[in-house]
Amino acid sequence: MNILSALLADSDAELERDIPGCRTRRIAQGVWECLPEHSAGSPLVLCAGIHGDETGPVEVLAELVDAACMGELLPRRPWLFAFGNLAALRLGRRYLECDLNRCFRGAPHAGAAKIEVARAHALSQALSIFALHGKGLLLDLHSTIRASLHPSFAIRPTATPGSGATPGLLATCGVPVLVEAGVEAPTFSATAAREHGYEAYTFELGRVRALGAGSSEELDALRNGLWRLIEAARPPESAASPRVYRVKREILKRSDDFALHVPADAPNFLPLQTGQLLAEDSPSRWFAEEGECLLFPNPDVAPGTRAVVLVRPVESGAT
Ligand SMILES: [Zn+2]
């Protein structure tokens, strides 16, 4: 049985066999660390399925784990792999009680939710244990649910804007766009950056698909890139630099009166008109400022939660 079917049948599933050439141990449900006898790189964390309806990257991660167990993929750096929201994955739902990727700084709002808060705690604990191997790289793999002018992009939470990305890293994984954000978000990648000094990314890839719906070119690029990373292979020298955006501000939904004045189907990275009314939550109103583009608009979030992010392109050479 492969790892994904095993986990969907039983959250306590173990790997069918240890990964050859590595010490492997489970450190939480659906989370394993794999320590190669001969390591040639810094620690690597790969996570998928934080949102249970974003299944393409989950299948890619499961294929890589299966390939490692079969001895086809040879890990050459300490590797932690984690399947995020097992309960939601089983039901094909984004989450059960609240968005897991808003729970890494405790419950997002009063009266919330125990399943996802407990899971965020378990993932954070596993990361803290693994982080004892030193600073490394974390990729949290998602697939965005909305149309996007850039179908694939990476969000990097970083305390030092302008730090960019390791050369070749994003191109290796087929991700041509980088969004730099702060480290305060209650997400898994921001936690890795903030608490462990990791170079951490949330990858948003393609569209949500049902489990088993087959592969896409976009996911093939991801699979090949992750394979190289796990084997500690160098990125190709010719890799292009990503196009960079930076988060300028976020608009929080304060109350149930919140109204978003951009179309529900507006794509990510849509350039906005300066002065355009974006949202209101009486008595406050928000207007677009020069150069701002839309990211993740969603009025259907809980009060106290981010309803839209505004980003601005960074001219190459600027900091
Ligand atoms: Zn997601």
Side-chain angles (χ1 to χ4, degrees):
M1 188 186 277
N2 62 33
I3 187 57
L4 185 53
S5 327
L7 281 173
L8 291 177
D10 176 7
S11 298
D12 281 321
E14 268 294 353
L15 294 180
E16 208 162 40
R17 59 176 73 88
D18 279 354
I19 294 173
C22 303
R23 258 189 309 125
T24 313
R25 71 172 175 138
R26 199 183 74 143
I27 50 180
Q29 283 186 337
V31 184
W32 286 265
E33 76 168 10
C34 161
L35 304 176
E37 282 153 23
H38 305 289
S39 177
S42 59
L44 172 69
V45 177
L46 299 180
C47 176
I50 289 260
H51 292 136
D53 59 349
E54 298 177 5
T55 50
V58 176
E59 290 178 80
V60 170
L61 182 59
E63 284 172 32
L64 293 168
V65 173
D66 292 339
C69 289
M70 297 297 291
E72 297 160 5
L73 166 64
L74 306 171
R76 291 199 185 86
R77 60 199 292 184
W79 178 31
L80 181 99
F81 50 90
F83 295 88
N85 196 335
L86 296 171
L89 265 175
R90 201 165 288 131
L91 298 174
R93 285 168 53 183
R94 186 168 176 81
Y95 55 80
L96 299 185
E97 294 184 319
C98 68
D99 185 336
L100 175 55
N101 220 20
R102 296 285 170 277
C103 291
F104 286 90
R105 305 199 89 168
H109 47 91
K114 297 176 188 67
I115 294 175
E116 274 83 12
V117 173
R119 187 59 181 155
H121 184 69
L123 291 170
S124 295
Q125 290 280 100
L127 182 60
S128 296
I129 293 168
F130 185 70
L132 297 174
H133 299 300
K135 283 186 193 178
L137 172 68
L138 176 141
L139 305 179
D140 182 25
L141 310 171
H142 292 242
S143 48
T144 187
I145 53 176
R146 61 167 44 247
S148 182
L149 299 184
H150 302 299
S152 291
F153 56 98
I155 301 166
R156 178 177 185 186
T158 172
T160 48
S163 41
T166 293
L169 170 66
L170 301 185
T172 298
C173 297
V175 177
V177 172
L178 170 66
V179 178
E180 286 191 342
V183 294
E184 297 309 315
T187 62
F188 194 38
S189 61
T191 298
R194 185 177 62 241
E195 295 183 9
H196 304 295
Y198 262 55
E199 180 177 348
Y201 299 85
T202 301
F203 276 11
E204 295 286 356
L205 303 141
R207 307 295 294 270
V208 173
R209 297 175 310 117
L211 272 175
S215 187
S216 70
E217 281 179 24
E218 193 172 40
L219 292 176
D220 288 343
L222 176 73
R223 182 184 302 100
N224 295 338
L226 297 181
W227 189 294
R228 293 177 64 96
L229 286 174
I230 296 164
E231 292 199 333
R234 290 194 182 283
E237 304 240 335
S238 59
S241 299
R243 181 164 176 183
V244 181
Y245 290 77
R246 194 168 296 155
V247 171
K248 194 155 163 270
R249 56 190 174 128
E250 297 183 346
I251 297 175
L252 294 189
K253 175 175 178 171
R254 295 180 187 165
S255 76
D256 287 324
D257 294 334
F258 181 88
L260 194 61
H261 293 291
V262 289
D265 57 353
N268 281 331
F269 298 99
L270 179 74
L272 298 163
Q273 302 280 344
T274 305
Q276 176 182 348
L277 177 63
L278 296 176
E280 59 190 319
D281 201 348
S282 186
S284 301
R285 302 172 94 195
W286 292 268
F287 299 89
E289 294 170 12
E290 192 179 352
E292 287 183 333
C293 304
L294 198 64
L295 192 61
F296 301 134
N298 182 6
D300 300 323
V301 294
T305 315
R306 169 191 97 183
V308 61
V309 180
L310 298 164
V311 298
R312 203 151 67 173
V314 176
E315 302 308 324
S316 57
T319 56

